Amino acid sequence: MAGLRLGPLLRHVDWESGTSATVWVETDRACTAEVRCAGGAGGSAATFRVAGHHYALVVVTGLAPGTATAYEVLLDGERVWPLADSTLPPSTIHTPPVPATGAVVAFGSCRWAAPAMGEDPVGPDVLDTLAARLAGDPEAERPDVLLLLGDQVYADETSVGTREWIARHRSSAGTGATAPPDQVADYAEYTHLYDESWGDPELRWLLSTVPSCMIFDDHDVIDDWNTSAAWVADMRATSWWHERITGGLMSYWVYQHLGNLSPAELAEDPLYAAVLAAEDGTEVLRAFAERADADPASVRWSYRRDFGRTRLLMVDTRAARVLEEQHRSMLDAEEAAWLRTQAFYDPGGVDHLLVGTSLPWLLPPMVHFAEGWHAALCRGERGPRWARFGEWLRRRADLEHWAAFTASFGRLTDTVAEVGRGEAAPATVCVLSGDVHHAYVAEPVWPAGQQPRSRVFQLTCSPLHNSVPAAIRAGFRFGWSRFAKGIGHLLARHGRVARPAVRWERAGGPWFGNQLMTLTLRGRTARLRLERATSDAKRGRRGTDRAGARLTGVLDRSLTDGS
């Protein structure tokens, strides 16, 4: 009998008709996966195979708009979900009414997998805690979609349990001998990371009932991934990097990227068709991953999703980079053109434009100017000695956000402003980001006469489950101060960096802890909520997770007046 190894994950829910969805599963052998819903809706798919693992992405049809439909998963006709001993509510597929009147979008990044047993060293997991609240109160507001903005797994910062598993795996398989012993080496080891992260009971249930959109960041592969051309050359010179990046891109495609696509996009995807057609899709997918690494412009990981009159543009800021020092760009030419095209597509049909990018667009001013300064050093503005220092500093201080790609920062700023100044400008343009292990709200201010009609915000939320040292916390707080901004201006002057055309102010934060932001978008109104997972001594109370944590409100404010 086939068993359910991981999942189900509810991924794409159709907002145009409200009648279909996709559900992803991993099984322990080849079989037919079926999703059977109350009321007769459902779908089935044969599994496909990659590196000895079996997966299916089931397209569910026949759903009714504006309903919540419970479902179960069967493998070769035998029910495997809900789990027999589960105390959690049934998994459901919530479809929007047609036409949709709004959307609730929750987002965050950086989720380090919690240990299965013992004390959690980084505190309660905010997604576990959200799952407990939704399971304990079926009437509680739930997100229509969960945006996971990078670092879904940490390939380079593994838990004690994973390091022990890696040692046993390499000893028995005879692989990864030269790879770092505390980091994953190949596809097989990546699958263990997803087992550890997505096998968590509360998260597993949450992802089975709340649709999700995902994009990678560096730790999904390795810290500083694609930070510079020199970094890439150094990594490619090692004996283990090729297998690491190949396995990373293969596993991302299987575990995260496939579910981002609509049924129509899946039907037109030649790689998906080739993997399904192959008896074993390993080599087909491996060739794709090797090509994607060698020629990043050959694949687009970015994508668009529309939730009624809310548009999401999820942007790849890792694999799409141009790294030649004199022409550095966060996005290659085709990716940049795609972003502008999608941002301006059907402007009258959008009340809110969301740009999901793992790396923040607007940083604390001192950090912004420091990154522009160091990028100028690396270009050679102050000579070769400063350029060598700049490369050394880039790798140690993670100076690689939009501010470090000066031209790209300017282009994104121009795009945001142009969309916001249009005749049919959306009520809000929000850049949603994570990465920096704290949360804040920043609002840009343009010169007189150039201010967009839209309200524009940088909304940054991180981590979902991780930590930040006290010294770094102090640094981020300091980075918003006027004195720090003055230091940043001095650095910019030393690097001969022009000031950006826009300035910005902190409108909230910085906040620290395991936290989640939620945008509630109704018509042309937008409300932002920030919640933190906090410990509760009385474990097992309604709305608390297994560690006795609950969600505590940090911020609840309106972003618009609805006009």
Side-chain angles (χ1 to χ4, degrees), residues 32-36 42-45 58 72-77:
T32 297
E34 179 185 1
V35 174
R36 189 177 294 173
S44 64
V58 180
E72 56 187 16
V73 177
L74 299 88
L75 302 180
D76 287 342

Side-chain angles (χ1 to χ4, degrees), residues 475-507:
F476 279 125
R477 288 192 177 100
F478 176 70
W480 286 104
S481 69
R482 289 193 176 188
F483 182 68
K485 186 185 292 187
I487 295 174
H489 287 158
L490 291 175
L491 291 173
R493 186 178 303 170
H494 179 262
R496 302 181 180 131
V497 178
R499 294 191 183 187
V502 63
R503 61 182 179 86
W504 55 97
E505 303 292 340
R506 178 184 55 173

Side-chain angles (χ1 to χ4, degrees), residues 458-539:
Q458 168 69 67
L459 305 177
T460 302
C461 183
S462 171
L464 297 167
H465 183 245
N466 213 310
S467 62
V468 60
I472 302 297
R473 294 187 184 208
F476 279 125
R477 288 192 177 100
F478 176 70
W480 286 104
S481 69
R482 289 193 176 188
F483 182 68
K485 186 185 292 187
I487 295 174
H489 287 158
L490 291 175
L491 291 173
R493 186 178 303 170
H494 179 262
R496 302 181 180 131
V497 178
R499 294 191 183 187
V502 63
R503 61 182 179 86
W504 55 97
E505 303 292 340
R506 178 184 55 173
W511 298 286
F512 298 91
N514 295 329
Q515 48 204 351
L516 183 71
M517 275 184 175
T518 301
L519 276 171
T520 301
L521 308 170
R522 303 294 184 205
R524 291 182 67 82
T525 67
R527 191 162 196 89
L528 176 67
R529 186 169 72 249
L530 175 67
E531 295 174 292
R532 181 184 301 136
T534 57
S535 297
D536 190 318
K538 296 182 179 180
R539 300 187 179 191

Side-chain angles (χ1 to χ4, degrees), residues 292-336:
D293 178 50
D295 180 14
S298 67
V299 58
R300 177 178 300 126
W301 300 108
S302 301
Y303 57 96
R304 184 187 106 197
R305 291 287 310 277
D306 287 348
F307 306 100
R309 291 180 60 85
T310 296
R311 172 160 300 149
L312 168 69
L313 304 179
M314 195 73 98
V315 183
D316 160 27
T317 54
R318 281 290 166 185
R321 295 178 173 187
V322 176
L323 297 176
E324 200 279 311
E325 206 62 60
Q326 300 302 318
H327 304 284
R328 278 172 64 85
S329 178
M330 185 68 86
L331 310 177
D332 63 44
E334 289 188 9
E335 197 87 5

Side-chain angles (χ1 to χ4, degrees), residues 105-120:
V105 180
F107 62 95
S109 79
C110 307
R111 184 177 181 273
W112 185 74
M117 302 293 292
E119 184 176 353
D120 192 331

Side-chain angles (χ1 to χ4, degrees), residues 412-430:
L412 179 58
T413 301
D414 290 345
T415 297
V416 166
E418 289 171 35
V419 169
R421 295 181 191 127
E423 296 252 345
T428 67
V429 179
C430 298

